[in-house]
Amino acid sequence: MSSSSSKNSEAIASPCCRQCCLDDQDVCLGCGRCLAEILEWGQAADARRREICKAALLRLRPGLKI
């Protein structure tokens, strides 16, 4: 297997930091994902996982420019 094909097949890592606690809006205070995104993660394609990670980061740091 070439390095380029193995690089393309790498999965997007979960943003879970094992500090799971949902707030009143069902958003994890540890990783910033909402409950629906956490449940979706296992079946999500890489593009969707990137979207989830971006949205979660913006929830944790609202003023961040991505």
Side-chain angles (χ1 to χ4, degrees):
M1 181 186 293
S2 72
S3 61
S4 64
S5 64
S6 65
K7 189 174 189 176
N8 290 338
S9 66
E10 289 178 20
I12 305 301
S14 171
C16 180
C17 58
R18 308 289 189 249
Q19 295 176 353
C20 306
C21 183
L22 298 178
D23 67 11
D24 293 337
Q25 289 79 42
D26 283 340
V27 173
C28 179
L29 300 176
C31 70
R33 292 180 293 172
C34 66
L35 182 57
E37 292 167 339
I38 293 168
L39 295 173
E40 176 186 0
W41 188 264
Q43 302 301 316
D46 285 351
R48 176 64 181 137
R49 287 182 174 195
R50 283 186 197 92
E51 291 172 2
I52 291 170
C53 287
K54 182 178 178 179
L57 185 59
L58 290 172
R59 283 186 203 104
L60 291 174
R61 300 183 189 152
L64 188 65
K65 303 277 189 207
I66 299 179

